């Protein structure tokens, strides 16, 4: 059946309203405003930037409770300390090794887990705030529109077809069937987060894989309200050990939030060998440990969620540009898996993508020749310096926890090289 779709044309289409996508939209709108103020031709318009978000509202797919390195946000929004919805600066941190009944605090917190100068944030609130700034800048932001498939053209992409609505469980049209839109753009920026369906399809179809295949973890998170005095606001604790065995890659955390709330969670590499292991079951066991139980007892669960984490790092980055398209943020494997931080790199990658797209709009050339400037910008920025130093971190844990800790120490001394680069 041939479906007739309404077509909309834009200069720039950004798929995903997370930190990377919104940073790209906001920075690009400001570059356009500066360009137009100078009277330079051609005149551009922020209204020709479209941002698609599959959630019912901005932030619907963002889990609360994260520790953010503010470096990227400080570059995007200079007055961020006065205006951003920050939960708390980190007031103290610690690392523990758990057995089934005890928690042994390490005498020295490992450098990657030190969070002085960082902030605990609600990613949900942060993204809502960024979304407000984007809308104020005149960008068109569309919620409840999921990208169903890419429009391929030549050796690249030319836009997105959004999902049909009014479909039954068998994929057949119902009485309220509405076909999705065909959104065409000079440049399409994929900011879908890890394992985005459009990014996966494009990487596979156009053979954009990095040197190593991407590897993933699962992060499981809960937000709790607990009795007063249980955890200091701004306190950050990370754990290793129980209920994970030494063959597994992963650990847990506890963050103290304002108003007697805490964020707890576990992140677990998905390359575990035991087919009976269940990450969600392990997380429920984790909460029964005395270290967590004393905090949660008498409290109330507010929210639960889980998300995929891209662990591959620098060597798993796909090629991030094609004719008419860029890949940013977690979709581009820009997470620092050693620090478990990716908000700052996502924001910075969105800004660098905006600068690349801006040049393409000015010249009228959105070919891969022009967009190839994006990975060069990444390599010349602090993103490369940070991720290069941890390029082998996750790979060092392929033989278990203790071998991984040994390799991590060697990598720390060798600037990320380790025994084998």
């Amino acid at each position: 059946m041939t479906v007739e779709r309404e077509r909309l044309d834009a200069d720039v289409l950004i798929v995903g309203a997370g930190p990377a996508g919104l940073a790209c939209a906001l920075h690009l709108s400001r570059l356009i405003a500066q360009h137009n103020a100078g009277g330079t031709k051609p005149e551009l318009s922020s209204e020709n930037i479209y941002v698609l978000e599959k959630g019912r509202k901005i932030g619907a797919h963002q889990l609360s409770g994260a520790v953010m390195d503010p470096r990227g946000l400080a570059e995007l929004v200079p007055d961020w300390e006065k205006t951003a919805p920050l939960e708390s600066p980190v007031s103290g941190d610690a690392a523990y090794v758990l057995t089934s009944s005890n928690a042994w605090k390490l005498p020295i917190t490992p450098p990657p887990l030190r969070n002085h100068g960082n902030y605990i944030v609600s990613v949900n609130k942060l993204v809502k705030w960024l979304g407000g700034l984007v809308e104020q800048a005149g960008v068109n932001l569309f919620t409840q529109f999921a990208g169903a498939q890419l429009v391929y053209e030549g050796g690249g992409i030319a836009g997105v077809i959004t999902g049909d609505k009014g479909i039954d469980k068998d994929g057949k049209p119902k009485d309220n069937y509405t076909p999705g839109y065909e959104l065409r753009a000079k440049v399409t920026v994929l900011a879908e987060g890890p394992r985005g369906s459009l990014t996966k399809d494009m990487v596979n179809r156009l053979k954009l894989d990095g040197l190593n295949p991407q590897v993933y973890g699962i992060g499981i998170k809960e937000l709790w309200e607990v009795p007063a005095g249980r955890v200091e606001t701004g306190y950050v604790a990370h754990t290793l050990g129980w209920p994970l065995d030494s063959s597994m890659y992963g650990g847990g955390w506890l963050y103290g939030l304002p108003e007697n709330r805490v964020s707890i969670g576990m992140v677990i590499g998905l390359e575990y060998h035991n087919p009976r292991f269940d990450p969600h079951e392990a997380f429920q066991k984790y909460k029964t440990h005395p270290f967590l139980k004393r905090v949660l007892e008498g409290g109330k669960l507010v929210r639960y969620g889980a998300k995929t984490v891209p662990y591959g790092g620098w060597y798993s980055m796909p090629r991030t540009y094609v004719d008419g398209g860029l890949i940013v943020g977690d979709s581009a494997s820009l997470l620092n898996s050693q620090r478990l931080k990716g908000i700052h790199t996502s924001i910075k990658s969105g800004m660098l993508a905006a600068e690349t797209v801006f040049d393409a709009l000015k010249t009228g050339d959105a070919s891969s020749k022009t967009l190839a400037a994006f990975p060069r910008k990444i390599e010349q920025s602090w993103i490369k310096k940070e991720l290069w130093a941890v390029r082998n971190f996750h790979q060092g844990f392929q033989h278990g926890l203790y071998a991984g800790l040994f390799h991590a120490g060697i990598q720390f001394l060798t600037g990320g090289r380790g025994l084998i680069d």
Side-chain angles (χ1 to χ4, degrees):
M1 181 180 70
T2 301
V3 178
E4 292 188 10
R5 302 181 185 277
E6 183 176 350
R7 172 170 166 170
L8 298 175
D9 290 277
D11 286 340
V12 183
L13 176 62
I14 300 170
V15 183
L22 293 175
C24 181
L26 182 58
H27 192 47
L28 180 56
S29 68
R30 290 171 175 170
L31 292 172
I32 288 174
Q34 293 170 7
H35 170 83
N36 292 342
T40 309
K41 300 296 182 181
E43 185 168 330
L44 305 172
S45 174
S46 294
E47 293 182 358
N48 290 330
I49 305 171
Y50 292 177
V51 179
L52 293 188
E53 167 55 44
K54 64 184 177 182
R56 295 182 63 183
K57 56 185 179 180
I58 301 299
H61 288 274
Q62 305 293 330
L63 297 177
S64 297
V67 177
M68 180 187 71
D69 181 333
R71 187 174 189 178
L73 186 61
E75 293 186 15
L76 178 66
V77 185
D79 66 344
W80 63 278
E81 288 185 281
K82 298 178 181 178
T83 59
L86 308 172
E87 296 289 294
S88 171
V90 174
S91 59
D93 48 29
Y96 292 84
V97 176
L98 303 186
T99 65
S100 59
S101 57
N102 291 309
W104 304 98
K105 183 178 179 181
L106 298 181
I108 300 175
T109 302
L113 301 181
R114 295 175 189 169
N115 286 286
H116 177 74
N118 295 331
Y119 287 78
I120 299 176
V121 297
S122 162
V123 188
N124 176 277
K125 292 179 182 178
L126 181 70
V127 166
K128 284 181 180 177
W129 170 72
L130 284 174
L133 297 180
V134 168
E135 289 184 308
Q136 290 172 23
V139 173
N140 282 295
L141 212 164
F142 300 100
T143 57
Q144 301 188 70
F145 282 91
Q149 62 188 85
L150 289 167
V151 178
Y152 289 96
E153 193 171 87
I157 58 176
V160 166
I161 294 175
T162 64
D164 297 342
K165 297 187 178 181
I167 300 292
D168 66 19
K169 64 180 181 179
D170 297 317
K172 296 180 180 179
K174 298 191 293 186
D175 293 340
N176 62 340
Y177 171 73
T178 304
Y181 292 90
E182 181 178 338
L183 302 179
R184 292 269 182 157
K186 297 172 183 175
V187 184
T188 301
V189 180
L190 299 181
E192 301 178 283
R195 291 188 62 78
S197 58
L198 300 182
T199 306
K200 284 167 55 183
D201 183 70
M202 186 173 80
V203 168
N204 291 334
R205 181 165 175 164
L206 301 183
K207 296 179 172 53
L208 307 179
D209 296 282
L211 292 175
N212 292 338
Q214 185 60 269
V215 291
Y216 297 97
I218 183 170
I220 306 167
K221 183 184 297 185
E222 289 184 352
L223 184 68
W224 281 69
E225 289 181 1
V226 298
R230 294 288 174 85
V231 180
E232 177 189 353
T233 299
Y235 179 72
V236 171
H238 290 95
T239 69
L240 287 175
W242 192 90
L244 307 181
D245 65 42
S246 61
S247 70
M248 295 180 179
Y249 177 84
W253 72 80
L254 168 69
Y255 304 152
L257 305 174
E259 300 175 353
N260 299 317
R261 291 172 298 139
V262 295
S263 170
I264 61 169
M266 288 189 73
V267 63
I268 303 164
L270 292 178
E271 65 267 32
Y272 52 82
H273 300 293
N274 182 358
R276 296 185 177 182
F277 177 77
D278 183 341
H280 296 274
E281 181 184 12
F283 177 62
Q284 298 307 316
K285 289 177 64 177
Y286 180 64
K287 292 189 296 181
T288 68
H289 192 280
F291 178 73
L292 276 298
K293 188 175 181 180
R294 65 174 178 79
V295 174
L296 302 179
E297 201 163 29
K300 180 177 70 173
L301 175 64
V302 177
R303 193 172 295 117
Y304 168 92
K307 75 182 293 285
T308 310
V309 181
Y311 271 149
W314 188 261
Y315 287 138
S316 293
M317 283 183 64
R319 198 180 92 191
T320 54
Y321 67 96
V322 296
D323 288 343
L326 295 174
I327 305 173
V328 299
D330 275 356
S331 293
S333 191
L334 297 180
L335 177 83
N336 183 330
S337 63
Q338 187 186 70
R339 301 176 66 204
L340 279 178
K341 290 178 176 58
I343 298 174
H344 64 307
T345 51
S346 289
I347 289 174
K348 181 64 174 178
S349 73
M351 295 177 69
L352 296 177
E355 294 167 11
T356 307
V357 172
F358 178 61
D359 289 339
L361 295 179
K362 286 193 301 179
T363 61
D365 179 10
S367 68
S368 60
K369 181 179 179 181
T370 298
L371 299 183
F374 176 56
R376 291 198 295 269
K377 288 176 182 290
I378 287 180
E379 293 213 4
Q380 294 163 5
S381 74
W382 49 260
I383 293 179
K384 166 69 182 288
K385 183 177 180 181
E386 178 173 332
L387 296 187
W388 185 250
V390 296
R391 62 193 181 276
N392 292 309
F393 181 75
H394 182 78
Q395 293 87 326
F397 284 81
Q398 63 180 316
H399 297 300
L401 175 63
Y402 301 117
L405 293 175
F406 170 76
H407 282 291
I410 298 296
Q411 291 166 22
F412 183 75
L413 296 174
T414 60
R417 181 182 183 278
L419 297 176
I420 300 175
D421 198 354

